[in-house]
Amino acid sequence: MHARLTEKGATVASNLPGLLHDEFEKKFASLDSGERKQLVSAIEQIAEMMNAHKLDAVPFLMTGKFPD
């Protein structure tokens, strides 16, 4: 099976928001390399403690009211 992104799909994808807020990305980028590594390490440890690797779920982001 082969799939390709249509022109309309490419347009839609180019207008999607980033996974992280722009302000967060700017603040994270302003940290020095050691601070970024420390934060990533802490998040990885938390994920491990929560057994995140065993979760059979796909995370998703949504804005607005959550559907009933």
Side-chain angles (χ1 to χ4, degrees), residues 54-68:
K54 293 182 181 179
L55 295 179
D56 186 24
V58 177
F60 64 93
L61 299 175
M62 182 175 168
T63 60
K65 184 179 177 189
F66 194 78
D68 294 329

Side-chain angles (χ1 to χ4, degrees), residues 10-58:
T11 300
V12 170
S14 69
N15 292 319
L16 292 173
L19 293 177
L20 300 173
H21 294 285
D22 289 338
E23 187 174 341
F24 173 84
E25 290 178 0
K26 288 177 190 173
K27 288 179 180 179
F28 187 78
S30 73
L31 298 173
D32 68 49
S33 176
E35 290 173 311
R36 287 194 303 267
K37 287 178 184 178
Q38 189 177 21
L39 282 173
V40 170
S41 177
I43 292 168
E44 288 173 343
Q45 287 178 327
I46 291 168
E48 178 64 31
M49 290 166 46
M50 295 175 67
N51 293 318
H53 63 283
K54 293 182 181 179
L55 295 179
D56 186 24
V58 177

